[in-house]
Amino acid sequence: MDLLLILQSKQSNKVTYVAHSAETDFSNRRPPFTEFGKKYQTYWERRKEIVLRQEVNNESYTIISYINRLVNQNIVEKAKNVKDDVN
């Protein structure tokens, strides 16, 4: 917030107002006991869970795709071997 104070001291009233509003909003987010603070904390906790869940899903998809390719290659090789055994 020190940067906002520096900017405030060298700018017009409009910029000072915007900087003060930003500082106030930031301060209101900090304490978790306010209604906004609780919602803000809950949002970020849920967001972390969602991101982790997406990463796990993506990794699962990659692994399943890899296993599927291996199984298909194995089936093709076995089919070729059966064909060669028949001839």
Side-chain angles (χ1 to χ4, degrees):
M1 285 296 122
D2 293 332
L3 178 61
L4 286 176
L5 294 175
I6 292 168
L7 290 174
Q8 272 181 298
S9 65
K10 298 179 181 181
Q11 299 297 327
S12 67
N13 287 340
K14 184 175 181 180
V15 174
T16 302
Y17 175 76
V18 170
H20 179 69
S21 295
E23 185 177 9
T24 303
D25 289 346
F26 181 76
S27 296
N28 287 341
R29 290 181 192 158
R30 281 184 144 181
F33 53 83
T34 64
E35 185 66 27
F36 179 81
K38 289 177 186 176
K39 288 180 182 178
Y40 192 72
Q41 182 178 4
T42 303
Y43 166 79
W44 282 106
E45 287 171 356
R46 286 184 182 163
R47 181 175 161 89
K48 287 178 189 177
E49 290 175 13
I50 290 169
V51 167
L52 287 174
R53 203 171 290 136
Q54 288 172 339
E55 289 174 359
V56 167
N57 286 342
N58 291 341
E59 189 68 25
S60 297
Y61 177 79
T62 302
I63 291 170
I64 290 170
S65 296
Y66 176 73
I67 292 170
N68 188 29
R69 278 194 306 266
L70 289 177
V71 169
N72 288 338
Q73 288 173 351
N74 193 6
I75 291 171
V76 169
E77 288 174 15
K78 287 187 184 232
K80 285 180 183 177
N81 290 337
V82 169
K83 182 180 175 185
D84 291 341
D85 290 343
V86 171
N87 292 335

